[in-house]
Amino acid sequence: MRRRLMRALGMIALALGMVIVGRGPLYAADGSIRIGSFLAVTGPASFLGDPELKTLQMYIELINTDGGVNGRQLELIHYDSQANPKNAVGFVKRLIDQDEVDIIIGGSASGETLAVMPLVDKAEVPFISLAGSIKIIDPVQKWVFKTPHTDRMACQKIFEHMQGEGIQRIGMISGTGGFGKSMQGQCQEVAGDYGIEILADETYGPKDTDMTAQLTKIKGTEGIQAVLNPGFGQGPAIVTKNFRQLGFEVPMYQSHGVASKKYIELAGEAAEGVRLPAAALLVADKLPDTDRQKPVVVAYKQAFEDRHGAGSVSTFGGHAYDALFMAVEAMQRCQCSDAAGVRDELEKTAGFMGTAGEVTMSPEDHLGLGLSAFRMLEVKGGDWALLD
Amino acid sequence: MLKVLASPRGGGLLVLIVLIALLPLGFQNNFHYDVAIRVGFNAIVVVGLNLLIGYAGQISLGHAGFLALGAYASAILTGSHDWPPVLAMLTGAVGVGLLAFVVARPVLRLKGHYLAMATLGMGMIIAIVLNTESQLTGGPDGMSVWVSFGVAGLEANTPRQWYWLVGALLVVWVWLALNLIDSPFGRALKAVHGSEVAAEVVGVDTTSVKVTVFVVSAVVASLVGSLSAHYISFISPQEASFFHSIELVIMAVLGGMASIYGSLVGAAILTVLPQVLTAFEDFEHLVFGLVMMAVMIFMPKGIVPSLGLWLAGRARRPGGEAAP
């Protein structure tokens, strides 16, 4: 009897748990426009999600004090996916079914974005992703947009620069994490378009602490004119150090994955002379005054750093800025917030100047960025310098 | 069947059936079904894991690996090779069973930390393979599962259908598990937990018992992996991650070791809690940690066994007076 009671109690606890979750929409409808978001605020990709969330919160607050959009306040509903696709799927179901959001801005990582795409497509909710992979917009899905440039564009920008330098034969060393792996594939695909041959193609694990072996192999390959390292996190910093230790005499190209001050800090002296493509935001102050993008990136940088400290700005938060304002401007243009209306308007975005570059969308292009979105940079004196 | 339900062993089962049947009355939308389905999936895995950890006293920090293998087997076989979902699921389960069997013999000879290390290593190897074999698995970005799960023309598509499917499977599996631990095999498991030497002395084939329960729990994880792959329509190598394995173990420990219903409670709490705690925003993880710590400090045996002991204690002292 007692045992039965105890079991019953356990079951009641379970039921209670369900009831607590089931309190119904936490956010009562009060005429506000609801922006749903799932971001990797904690976990391995927190460097993406954290500035993204801060950006959304800051600007939604600013927009609301200015009277909102179309006379309605914005309301942010966000969940922390920890970059886990399974969590993301759960939270997107919650955003759609329970919170009944008008638009979703989120998905810090590619995996979680790809995981939720079938859901938003079925629910017909406009979704602006903040993740990099080209698979998000190619092939185009009706309800899915994205703001960050793709890996393919980074490869193209790098190869374009190499072409200008007369480099034709390169060695590549890629991380096996999601970012490195995706970019490695994209670079292999487009290298031919720029007459570039990848003579050595090495990889390293995301947690490896020494890449001397792979680099030695690249160094021993005849005719290498440059080394390209698609990768993310601390891997590229180690590659850069090992690269210098081995005394390479060819230039090193990094990807936009290391476009943060952290990389220069980690790699130290070894980073000198490293070239990489990056968004204009990184060199906001160094852009010429004639640059049309300058006012946007300088203002964003200023606003973010005023609130979160000097040097805290990152391109990732910029992706969220672009997504939010693209959505807000679409809503203002159509004077609507219904899913279909906003989606159609988003697709008509033209000449939008964001932190990533100028965006012009079309039914065939849900990214709308050109190669000019990237600037080639070189590390000089422990800071970024514009190459072109 | 009625007789079974009326028995002490069946009492809890009856509560479980009633609960599963009545829960949908409180559901307002698909999200609620979604949470319930996830609880069900986790509960099934954790009941299996608890047979291994709680009853046989062997730890596994690699069960997420088995789960992921089942999921990928289903995803790849139904996706690229057009296999029927059930066949793919069973093939995955047989494969995982074989793998678990091969791994179990050498691994289960280890004890304590060494066993934990070995299973942890196995889980990590699976995660690395899933991450790097991208032609097959889609790599770190994961892969979509487009095929709906179904048997003989009956397909599970809506959250409601999935709920009943998972609910039914959970009831059947709990019933099987309850019977298992009350059988000679179950007593052998507990004997192994108590003392392997003593168990051998009384004629228990300890190796075979440990290997069997390891394989059973792995196969169950694999089956759930397959089902959840179809349900979520997407899988990524994070399924096999170390943290997922740990999460499953925490569910077993939190609910109560060597308690089938504890496994259900543990799975329910750990699945539902993160959804509830989102209300705390930035303090979500802090509160989560506090809840975990509080449970482990005040209920070291896990929620269900601790509550059971407490109730038993109260019953012995009617009116709250001290026992003589």
Side-chain angles (χ1 to χ4, degrees):
Chain A
M1 182 61 205
R2 256 177 263 129
R3 286 180 68 189
R4 219 185 296 176
L5 192 65
M6 142 205 140
R7 283 164 187 169
L9 262 178
M11 292 303 120
I12 289 164
L14 194 150
L16 267 180
M18 301 302 305
V19 171
I20 294 170
V21 192
R23 276 183 306 183
L26 284 165
Y27 305 88
D30 55 358
S32 58
I33 297 175
R34 270 182 264 180
I35 298 179
S37 186
F38 63 103
L39 299 164
V41 181
T42 63
S46 61
F47 62 95
L48 299 172
D50 181 61
E52 286 163 358
L53 177 61
K54 282 176 176 161
T55 302
L56 289 179
Q57 284 172 329
M58 176 170 79
Y59 280 99
I60 285 177
E61 203 183 300
L62 289 176
I63 291 170
N64 282 341
T65 47
D66 281 351
V69 176
N70 302 342
R72 293 165 71 191
Q73 295 279 296
L74 295 181
E75 184 182 342
L76 179 68
I77 300 158
H78 69 90
Y79 300 114
D80 178 9
S81 64
Q82 303 178 353
N84 183 335
K86 206 165 72 174
N87 293 353
V89 167
F91 284 132
V92 166
K93 280 185 184 159
R94 188 168 179 177
L95 287 171
I96 293 170
D97 291 328
Q98 171 142 326
D99 304 323
E100 296 174 1
V101 295
D102 297 300
I103 184 167
I104 298 175
I105 295 175
S108 307
S110 297
E112 53 180 2
T113 294
L114 293 167
V116 306
M117 277 165 57
L119 279 177
V120 294
D121 198 53
K122 209 162 141 193
E124 311 204 323
V125 176
F127 169 40
I128 309 180
S129 165
L130 311 179
S133 173
I134 194 164
K135 285 189 247 171
I136 298 166
I137 45 139
D138 184 24
V140 171
Q141 280 204 14
K142 192 177 170 196
W143 296 90
V144 184
F145 301 83
K146 78 178 212 114
T147 52
H149 27 241
T150 63
D151 311 335
R152 180 186 288 257
M153 290 164 66
C155 294
Q156 288 169 328
K157 186 77 185 178
I158 293 169
F159 290 150
E160 198 182 78
H161 188 264
M162 286 180 173
Q163 214 175 15
E165 300 272 302
I167 294 169
Q168 282 167 344
R169 292 177 301 278
I170 64 162
M172 206 154 81
I173 173 166
S174 319
T176 50
F179 180 88
K181 206 158 177 96
S182 163
M183 186 161 164
Q184 181 190 19
Q186 296 298 331
C187 284
Q188 285 164 344
E189 273 181 38
V190 297
D193 301 347
Y194 295 85
I196 283 170
E197 233 182 308
I198 301 169
L199 293 183
D201 201 358
E202 298 291 318
T203 58
Y204 60 85
K207 283 175 192 140
D208 289 2
T209 51
D210 188 280
M211 289 70 157
T212 319
Q214 293 95 318
L215 285 168
T216 308
K217 197 170 164 206
I218 293 179
K219 196 165 186 238
T221 310
E222 203 73 27
I224 296 277
Q225 291 170 304
V227 175
L228 169 60
N229 174 208
F232 212 57
Q234 58 182 0
I238 299 170
V239 170
T240 311
K241 281 189 170 171
N242 291 161
F243 182 81
R244 295 291 175 225
Q245 283 157 3
L246 289 174
F248 273 88
E249 275 163 11
V250 296
M252 158 165 261
Y253 287 81
Q254 284 287 349
S255 70
H256 54 309
V258 301
S260 84
K261 273 277 159 63
K262 200 105 218 151
Y263 165 72
I264 300 185
E265 272 169 38
L266 283 173
E269 289 271 295
E272 285 300 302
V274 167
R275 297 160 181 174
L276 70 155
L281 183 60
L282 212 59
V283 281
D285 306 327
K286 299 186 183 75
L287 292 173
D289 287 334
T290 50
D291 197 310
R292 293 210 300 124
Q293 210 184 340
K294 186 166 184 175
V296 177
V297 288
V298 168
Y300 171 67
K301 189 177 179 206
Q302 192 97 44
F304 195 90
E305 295 193 342
D306 278 353
R307 190 172 287 211
H308 299 292
S312 60
V313 76
S314 77
T315 49
F316 313 119
H319 301 325
Y321 171 93
D322 295 354
L324 178 64
F325 281 94
M326 230 181 272
V328 164
E329 286 185 15
M331 286 174 188
Q332 282 168 340
R333 281 201 305 274
C334 70
Q335 285 293 309
C336 67
S337 67
D338 66 292
V342 173
R343 192 214 76 88
D344 291 348
E345 238 1 276
L346 268 176
E347 204 166 67
K348 287 180 210 152
T349 299
F352 171 85
M353 191 51 91
T355 61
E358 191 172 339
V359 179
T360 300
M361 303 240 187
S362 72
E364 292 80 39
D365 186 0
H366 277 191
L367 168 66
L369 279 171
L371 272 196
S372 62
F374 275 121
R375 316 292 164 114
M376 278 311 286
L377 306 182
E378 194 174 89
V379 182
K380 261 194 197 132
D383 200 1
W384 313 109
L386 272 169
L387 268 183
D388 47 15
Chain B
M1 187 70 188
L2 276 176
K3 222 170 161 187
V4 171
L5 291 179
S7 72
R9 200 194 309 152
L13 201 60
L14 190 66
V15 175
L16 179 66
I17 293 172
V18 171
L19 194 74
I20 291 175
L22 293 184
L23 264 181
L25 297 178
F27 291 169
Q28 287 148 347
N29 53 44
N30 285 342
F31 163 64
H32 295 156
Y33 277 101
D34 180 60
V35 174
I37 293 163
R38 283 162 190 259
V39 169
F41 280 141
N42 283 330
I44 296 173
V45 179
V46 176
V47 167
L49 193 60
N50 214 339
L51 289 177
L52 178 73
I53 298 180
Y55 289 96
Q58 312 294 316
I59 191 144
S60 168
L61 299 180
H63 257 57
F66 294 131
L67 193 144
L69 281 182
Y72 273 95
S74 275
I76 294 167
L77 292 178
T78 60
S80 321
H81 302 278
D82 293 325
W83 285 34
V86 175
L87 190 61
M89 176 170 91
L90 295 178
T91 310
V94 170
V96 166
L98 283 175
L99 175 71
F101 181 75
V102 171
V103 173
R105 288 226 156 226
V107 160
L108 289 174
R109 291 172 65 166
L110 305 169
K111 289 194 177 67
H113 299 319
Y114 298 104
L115 175 63
M117 290 296 290
T119 51
L120 187 152
M122 184 204 62
M124 284 193 165
I125 290 170
I126 293 174
I128 291 172
V129 170
L130 294 178
N131 256 312
T132 44
E133 293 306 309
S134 48
Q135 307 88 328
L136 206 59
T137 63
D141 279 349
M143 64 191 289
S144 297
V145 185
W146 297 107
V147 184
S148 316
F149 186 78
V151 197
L154 280 172
E155 278 192 359
N157 282 318
T158 66
R160 208 174 291 255
Q161 290 162 340
W162 273 105
Y163 177 80
W164 294 119
L165 175 67
V166 174
L169 288 174
L170 179 63
V171 170
V172 171
W173 175 226
V174 165
W175 180 68
L176 282 174
L178 285 171
N179 277 297
L180 192 71
I181 53 172
D182 223 9
S183 68
F185 180 78
R187 284 185 281 278
L189 279 183
K190 287 181 215 167
V192 168
H193 192 185
S195 159
E196 264 186 58
V197 176
E200 273 171 19
V201 168
V202 294
V204 174
D205 182 353
T206 54
T207 317
S208 130
V209 165
K210 287 195 288 184
V211 169
T212 310
V213 72
F214 188 77
V215 171
V216 166
S217 64
V219 167
V220 168
S222 164
L223 292 172
V224 170
S226 295
L227 285 173
S228 67
H230 285 289
Y231 170 66
I232 297 177
S233 321
F234 189 87
I235 47 168
S236 73
Q238 283 181 37
E239 281 300 90
S241 74
F242 170 58
F243 291 104
H244 191 199
S245 289
I246 293 289
E247 208 184 333
L248 295 172
V249 174
I250 294 176
M251 287 177 188
V253 175
L254 184 81
M257 302 261 259
S259 162
I260 297 292
Y261 294 108
S263 307
L264 305 188
V265 173
I269 291 179
L270 252 96
T271 315
V272 173
L273 204 56
Q275 298 289 344
V276 178
L277 294 182
T278 52
F280 290 97
E281 304 240 332
D282 290 351
F283 300 103
E284 185 184 332
H285 301 281
L286 203 69
V287 177
F288 187 78
L290 280 175
V291 172
M292 294 296 120
M293 277 163 62
V295 169
M296 285 295 103
I297 291 170
F298 297 109
M299 304 179 175
K301 287 182 189 306
I303 293 173
V304 170
S306 294
L307 279 179
L309 283 175
W310 180 70
L311 283 175
R314 280 193 51 139
R316 238 182 277 125
R317 296 176 272 128
E321 284 166 34

